[in-house]
Amino acid sequence: MAVIRLTTVQVLDERIEFSLSDVCRTCCISAETVIDMVAEGVVEPLGGGPDNWRFTGANLVRVQTALRLQNDLRVNLPGAALALELLEEIDELRRRVHRLSADWPD
Amino acid sequence: MKFKDYYEIIGVQRDASQDEIKRAYRRLARKYHPDVSKEADAEARFKEVGEAYEVLKDPEKRAAYDGLASGRQAGEEFQPPPNWERDFVFGDGGFTGASDFSDFFDALFGGAARHSRGARHNVQMPGEDRQVRVTISLEEAYRGTTRRVSLAVPELDAKGRIVTRDRTLSVKIPAGVIEGQRIRVAGQGAPGMGGAPQGDLYFIVDILRHRLFRPERRDIYLDLPVTPWEAALGASVKVPTLGGAVDLKIPKGSQTGRKLRLKERGLPGNPPGDQYAVLKIVTPGADTPELESLYRRLAEAAPLNPRAELEA
C-alpha cells in the first residue's frame, strides 16, 4: 500500500505563531468568537489589538479545546475557561507527582 | 458484525425515560470527553456513548432499535433484517458529528444519513478535524523520529459521498516534542462539503515511561545515587543524559535531594530544557566488623542529630 509522506507538520508549541485570521481559518470560527475568548481570558495573544495579535501554538490548542468543550459538553464560554484552567492545574499536579514519585501518572 | 447494547453502554435500563437517558449520557460525556479524561480508551468510549445517545434520544430510532434489541445480547453476531432500510426511513435527526460511528450504527441508521448528506450538495461545510494519538519513546522525543500510522481516511467519492479508505501515513515528528504535544498536519482531516476546505489531522504525542529519566515539559529529572563520601567530599561522576554521558561535579557537602542542573541537557527547544540530577545518598551496610567499627568511629567523630527539627 502506498505510504503518504506528511512532510509539512506544525508542532503546536510556543515556537510557532498564528495571526487572528490564521486562528479563524484553522478552527473554522469567526473573529468575534476569538475576540470573546481573549476577553474571557481563555488565551492571551501577544501584540496589541486584534490586527497585531500573535497566537502561539499552545494558544491555538487552548482555543480548540475550549470549542470542543462548548460543543460536546454544552458548557458556555466562562465554563469552558474554568474547565481549561482546572484541567491545566490537574496536568501540572500530575507532572509534579510524577517527577517526585517516579510513578507515571495514572 | 457484533450487536451493540446501547442501553448497557449508557448504563440505563431498557425502560428508562428520555430524561434518564439524557442525564446518563451527559454524565458519561463529561467523564469520557477526550480533553477531560486521561483514560487510554476515553476517545473510543466517548464516541460509543455518543453513538448510543444518537439512537436512544430519538424516539423513532429508539423504537426501531428496541424491536431489534429484544432478546439480543451485546457482542452476539448480528445482521440487520432483510428490507430493514425499506421498512424504516429515518428522518435526518440532525447529526452531531457522526462521521465515525460504528459499522453497526451505519448498517442500521446510516442509510438515511448517507442519503440526506448526498442530497445536501449546496451546503458548504468544512471537513472535520481528526485526532490520532502516537506513542514515542523519550529518546525519540529527544532526537525526532518518523512514525507510520494506518488510518481510515475519509474521502469524497465521485458522487460526493464520504467513503473511508485505508491509508498509511508517514509523519516526521521533530526533535523536542513533549508529552501531550499536538502536531498539526493541514488538510489531512475529513473532506469538506460543497467545496469547503478539508479538515486537519492532529497527532497527540504520548511519551513512554523511561527507565531512568522523568520528563517535566522539556526538563529531565534523574535520580543520581551517590556514596556518602562522594556527597561529603565532592566528586566528579559520569551521569547519563539523553545526548550521552556527561561529567558532573558533585559539590562538597551535598545532601540527599540536592538538585544539580545540567544546563540545556534536556529536550531540545527554544529554550532547550535542562537536566536535573537529584542526589540520593546510598550507604554501605555495616556488614563486616571493620565496617561496623568505622561506622562507630564516624558516629563519635561526627555527632549529628538529623531529627533536631522534629523536636518540640
Side-chain angles (χ1 to χ4, degrees), chain B residues 77-236:
Chain B
E77 207 45 49
F78 171 78
Q79 284 301 324
N83 301 328
W84 165 263
E85 285 205 21
R86 199 192 59 200
D87 294 347
F88 292 94
V89 178
F90 299 102
D92 185 16
F95 261 65
T96 52
S99 63
D100 45 15
F101 284 165
S102 69
D103 291 348
F104 175 75
F105 179 92
D106 219 34
L108 294 184
F109 305 105
R114 268 197 303 274
H115 177 72
S116 64
R117 276 183 188 181
R120 273 190 253 160
H121 45 76
N122 289 328
V123 178
Q124 279 216 336
M125 199 165 65
E128 275 181 40
D129 293 338
R130 298 200 60 184
Q131 313 219 29
V132 177
R133 300 193 92 91
V134 283
T135 302
I136 62 172
S137 67
L138 192 55
E139 284 86 354
E140 288 176 308
Y142 178 78
R143 290 197 186 87
T145 188
T146 303
R147 267 285 180 287
R148 283 190 175 193
V149 186
S150 293
L151 292 177
V153 179
E155 288 181 355
L156 290 183
D157 70 5
K159 290 181 181 162
R161 289 176 307 193
I162 293 183
V163 292
T164 55
R165 292 192 207 289
D166 288 332
R167 285 283 168 85
T168 303
L169 306 177
S170 165
V171 60
K172 197 173 177 310
I173 300 174
V177 295
I178 59 174
E179 174 73 20
Q181 186 89 68
R182 280 170 162 76
I183 298 174
R184 174 172 177 254
V185 189
Q188 292 288 339
M193 309 294 265
Q198 205 159 355
D200 300 327
L201 174 62
Y202 290 85
F203 290 102
I204 306 169
V205 176
D206 286 325
I207 296 181
L208 284 172
R209 179 182 184 152
H210 193 278
R211 192 171 63 86
L212 299 176
F213 301 120
R214 301 192 298 278
E216 188 174 314
R217 295 191 178 276
R218 293 212 163 81
D219 294 336
I220 300 289
Y221 285 79
L222 167 79
D223 283 336
L224 182 67
V226 292
T227 60
W229 45 94
E230 284 169 338
L233 307 174
S236 180

Side-chain angles (χ1 to χ4, degrees), chain A residues 3-4 6 9-14 26 64 68 72 74 87 91 94-95 98-99 102 104, chain B residues 26 33 35 38 131 167-170 174 181-184 202 207 209 214 216-218 221:
Chain A
V3 176
I4 303 167
L6 306 176
V9 302
Q10 292 176 318
V11 177
L12 298 178
D13 62 12
E14 69 283 359
T26 305
Q64 291 176 325
R68 280 193 297 269
D72 298 343
R74 301 161 37 100
L87 288 171
D91 274 349
R94 280 206 176 99
R95 274 196 292 273
H98 173 56
R99 167 162 66 77
W104 199 246
Chain B
R26 294 221 175 124
H33 194 274
D35 288 311
K38 292 289 170 203
Q131 313 219 29
R167 285 283 168 85
T168 303
L169 306 177
S170 165
Q181 186 89 68
R182 280 170 162 76
I183 298 174
R184 174 172 177 254
Y202 290 85
I207 296 181
R209 179 182 184 152
R214 301 192 298 278
E216 188 174 314
R217 295 191 178 276
R218 293 212 163 81
Y221 285 79

Side-chain angles (χ1 to χ4, degrees), chain A residues 10-14 16-29 34 37 42-45 54-68 84 88, chain B residues 129 131 182-185 200-202:
Chain A
Q10 292 176 318
V11 177
L12 298 178
D13 62 12
E14 69 283 359
I16 188 168
E17 288 183 349
F18 298 88
S19 68
L20 176 58
S21 63
D22 291 337
V23 173
C24 295
R25 201 169 40 247
T26 305
C27 305
C28 302
I29 51 176
V34 183
M37 285 198 186
V42 170
V43 282
E44 289 180 22
R54 285 170 291 128
F55 296 84
T56 63
N59 284 159
L60 181 72
V61 171
R62 280 181 73 96
V63 168
Q64 291 176 325
T65 308
L67 288 170
R68 280 193 297 269
L84 265 172
E88 279 174 10
Chain B
D129 293 338
Q131 313 219 29
R182 280 170 162 76
I183 298 174
R184 174 172 177 254
V185 189
D200 300 327
L201 174 62
Y202 290 85

Side-chain angles (χ1 to χ4, degrees), chain B residues 12-26:
Chain B
V12 293
Q13 299 291 325
R14 291 198 176 185
D15 60 356
S17 69
Q18 291 304 118
D19 279 348
E20 282 176 275
I21 289 171
K22 193 202 284 182
R23 267 201 305 277
Y25 162 72
R26 294 221 175 124

